[in-house]
Amino acid sequence: MQRLSLATLPTLPDAVRRPAYDPRRTTTGIVHLGVGAFHRAHQAVYLDEILATDSQWAIAGASLRRPDMRDALAPQDNLYTVAFRSCEGAQLRVIGSLKTIHVAPRDPESLLAQMCDPAVRIVSLTVTEKGYCHDPATGDLNPAHPDIKADLAAPRAPTSAPGLIAEALRRRRDANIVPFTVMPCDNLPSNGATTQRIVSQYAALLDGALARFVEGDVAFAGTMVDRIVPATGDSDIAEITQALGVEDAWPVVSEPFGQWVIEDRFPTGRPDFAAVGAEMVSDVEGHERMKLRMLNGAHSTLAYLGYLAGYQTVSQTMSDPAYETLVRGLMSEEVMPTLHMPGTDLGGYREALVARFHNPALQHRTWQIAMDGSQKLPQRLLGTVRDRIAAGAPFERLALGVAAWMRYVTGTDEAGAPIDVNDPLADRLRAIGDAAGRDPERLAKAYLGIGDVFGHDLRDHPGFNRAVTAALASLLTRGAARTVADYAHATH
Ligand code: CS2
């Protein structure tokens, strides 16, 4: 079978939407670090729309670890398909905004050269929470992170996101090229300010003047990004290839919904994001907090509790009425009171999330969302817990989500089978679980002692300890499904 490419584009069925411009005639204006499924179904789609009227904003992508994405897309002229799936069916769209893909560990120099091209005015990132090499509880750079240690030892050939950005900014400064704007698109709180702090803290370990430059002269535009994009499975590839009539080695599957809120801080220029549906704001923090606490907080809670009860996907988990009730209660009773969003219909937002979680056309695995919990918990659940504590308000459902994470990272499921815990702290988490045994009090105390996740305030908070211990005790003795049923109807 032939491959999807510029040459085979005209042979695609009429129903497949394709670039409304000639991808050969675009020029690169953005370098994007982390060309995963999320980027390809979100920012790259918005840019595909922009390129129809403004050809200077094509994307040079970079993989920070493996060459697989480049290897899959290079024979396709970097074209790929997004399948937007809902219960109404699938809409296929071929995206042409990715112009090239660098593989940072193979050739950091070609990536850095591209980042220093004066035509590049934005460097965006989706490197996941752990790609920022920071301490999730404080948001500060973790100087002991192995990637940071490696980059500090060889700062001219870095491979971490902070290392690459700092080195490219240094080269631009020394060559008198205006700095690019850094635009993080990951689910971190205050992602613009946090990234600026991390990059300047990294720079400070090398060169104080560079750190001051990063703080004073470089714009960091925070964003809130939203679109549910599960990992692509083999059956997705087969199905999409069949519908196209040509092979796409690595398409993406996505829900139709998408949202992008961007802080308007681009002193050296930007595409007309608003023209393609993004919202430009002066401060993204409110939107970001709402999304992280409502969507992602609910997602993680469903993922741990769903996985433990044997549910493979989010939509399966949601079809258990107790889970749906729990997650609605979590949002209404415990999260929404911490959000102050005048003019936003939070109840409507919650209902839209419930409907999106139910989307039966997405196979979003609970295991996938459960990944990297140590990096996700602080902004998804723990900030909300802190606000509830400060308000003297209850937080049982939030504590249940935290306890479910603890139960999950012990590494053994309810049937005694091993769980493949994927987390940068996995070994430590397993060791803590093994040492503490299955006594809920000891186990909860041991996990709450992980300072880079809980900080000292939550570790030492008696009420939070009690609530987490009670939830963990129930998970260990009654199991997740029965515990969820109990909590779903608890009122406070
Ligand atoms: C999910 C997110 O995997 C996860 O942790 O919660 O990727 C989620 O699907 C997106 O943030 C939705 O915008």
Side-chain angles (χ1 to χ4, degrees):
M1 190 183 254
Q2 282 189 305
R3 204 64 181 266
L4 173 64
S5 69
L6 288 169
T8 57
L9 211 45
T11 71
L12 301 183
D14 289 345
V16 178
R17 189 169 158 190
R18 57 206 90 180
Y21 55 92
D22 181 350
R24 277 168 294 227
R25 295 184 184 280
T26 59
T27 55
T28 300
I30 298 176
V31 169
H32 183 83
L33 308 182
V35 222
F38 181 72
H39 168 70
R40 296 195 297 136
H42 189 276
Q43 303 98 61
V45 174
Y46 284 85
L47 266 316
D48 186 69
E49 199 85 34
I50 281 171
L51 288 168
T53 53
D54 186 354
S55 62
Q56 56 179 329
W57 297 107
I59 304 165
S63 293
L64 300 199
R65 301 212 171 271
R66 289 178 303 272
D68 350 1
M69 189 65 76
R70 181 201 59 191
D71 295 349
L73 298 193
Q76 307 184 174
D77 300 317
N78 294 309
L79 297 175
Y80 63 91
T81 316
V82 181
F84 292 103
R85 287 195 188 148
S86 68
C87 32
E88 277 120 58
Q91 170 69 52
L92 300 184
R93 174 165 174 185
V94 172
I95 302 300
S97 52
L98 261 182
K99 223 167 162 68
T100 179
I101 299 181
H102 299 272
V103 181
R106 298 277 166 93
D107 190 358
E109 201 46 48
S110 74
L111 170 57
L112 284 163
Q114 182 114 51
M115 292 170 86
C116 292
D117 177 349
V120 166
R121 279 165 285 165
I122 298 173
V123 170
S124 54
L125 308 80
T126 49
V127 292
T128 79
E129 297 84 349
K130 62 175 180 272
Y132 290 79
C133 309
H134 70 310
D135 173 353
T138 59
D140 286 327
L141 177 80
N142 172 8
H145 191 291
D147 296 354
I148 295 301
K149 280 170 57 181
D151 285 0
L152 288 171
R156 303 290 179 257
T159 55
S160 74
L164 284 162
I165 294 172
E167 174 62 5
L169 287 170
R170 184 192 69 79
R171 292 187 189 190
R172 286 178 82 115
R173 181 200 60 183
D174 293 352
N176 269 318
I177 302 168
V178 285
F180 44 71
T181 294
V182 182
M183 179 172 67
C185 298
D186 283 291
N187 290 315
L188 289 180
S190 317
N191 59 13
T194 301
T195 308
Q196 183 162 26
R197 190 164 68 242
I198 290 168
V199 175
S200 82
Q201 287 171 342
Y202 170 84
L205 297 171
L206 293 166
D207 166 358
L210 181 61
R212 286 191 294 280
F213 179 73
V214 171
E215 274 160 39
D217 297 285
V218 182
F220 285 73
T223 65
M224 182 269 249
V225 287
D226 189 9
R227 174 160 273 165
I228 294 177
V229 186
T232 309
D234 289 342
S235 60
D236 300 318
I237 298 177
E239 217 173 286
I240 292 164
T241 292
Q242 203 195 351
L244 294 174
V246 293
E247 184 194 353
D248 183 345
W250 206 337
V252 200
V253 173
S254 167
E255 64 174 343
F257 179 88
Q259 193 179 6
W260 198 3
V261 188
I262 306 174
E263 278 173 352
D264 202 356
R265 293 192 191 146
F266 297 85
T268 53
R270 59 161 173 80
D272 189 357
F273 291 120
V276 295
E279 295 157 65
M280 304 306 295
V281 297
S282 57
D283 182 354
V284 81
E285 216 167 311
H287 286 91
E288 203 171 49
R289 186 178 308 115
M290 174 182 80
K291 191 257 172 173
L292 285 169
R293 292 185 175 188
M294 295 280 279
L295 189 159
N296 298 108
H299 238 184
S300 289
T301 302
L302 286 168
Y304 298 116
L305 290 166
Y307 184 97
L308 289 169
Y311 295 128
Q312 297 270 319
T313 65
V314 175
S315 69
Q316 252 175 37
T317 310
M318 284 296 282
S319 55
D320 180 329
Y323 280 72
E324 180 175 330
T325 306
L326 177 84
V327 95
R328 250 210 197 88
L330 171 77
M331 292 195 270
S332 305
E333 307 291 330
E334 300 186 12
V335 181
M336 279 158 55
T338 71
L339 302 172
H340 309 288
M341 298 285 293
T344 302
D345 171 14
L346 287 175
Y349 184 68
R350 176 198 62 219
E351 288 313 302
L353 292 178
V354 168
R356 290 169 64 197
F357 293 163
H358 268 293
N359 185 347
L362 290 185
Q363 298 294 310
H364 201 186
R365 291 177 66 197
T366 46
W367 178 82
Q368 190 192 344
I369 300 166
M371 225 181 262
D372 296 339
S374 67
Q375 316 293 302
K376 292 174 175 172
L377 247 44
Q379 57 274 19
R380 294 183 177 206
L381 297 173
L382 303 180
T384 321
V385 169
R386 287 192 174 90
D387 284 356
R388 298 290 287 169
I389 289 174
F395 43 78
E396 267 77 18
R397 298 172 181 90
L398 291 158
L400 174 60
V402 174
W405 170 75
M406 293 176 174
R407 174 68 191 81
Y408 179 91
V409 298
T410 60
T412 311
D413 73 11
E414 292 182 359
I419 301 175
D420 177 11
V421 177
N422 203 318
D423 191 296
L425 302 190
D427 292 343
R428 197 165 139 207
L429 295 169
R430 167 74 65 91
I432 290 174
D434 288 348
R438 292 297 174 266
D439 172 62
E441 206 162 320
R442 282 187 57 192
L443 197 56
K445 196 168 161 29
Y447 282 130
L448 287 170
I450 305 176
D452 14 352
V453 176
F454 293 99
H456 291 168
D457 58 336
L458 291 180
R459 177 196 67 189
D460 297 336
H461 191 272
F464 185 58
N465 269 266
R466 263 195 311 278
V468 170
T469 306
L472 192 54
S474 177
L475 289 171
L476 287 164
T477 53
R478 291 170 59 69
R482 287 205 286 165
T483 302
V484 169
D486 294 344
Y487 274 70
H489 301 289
T491 43
H492 53 237

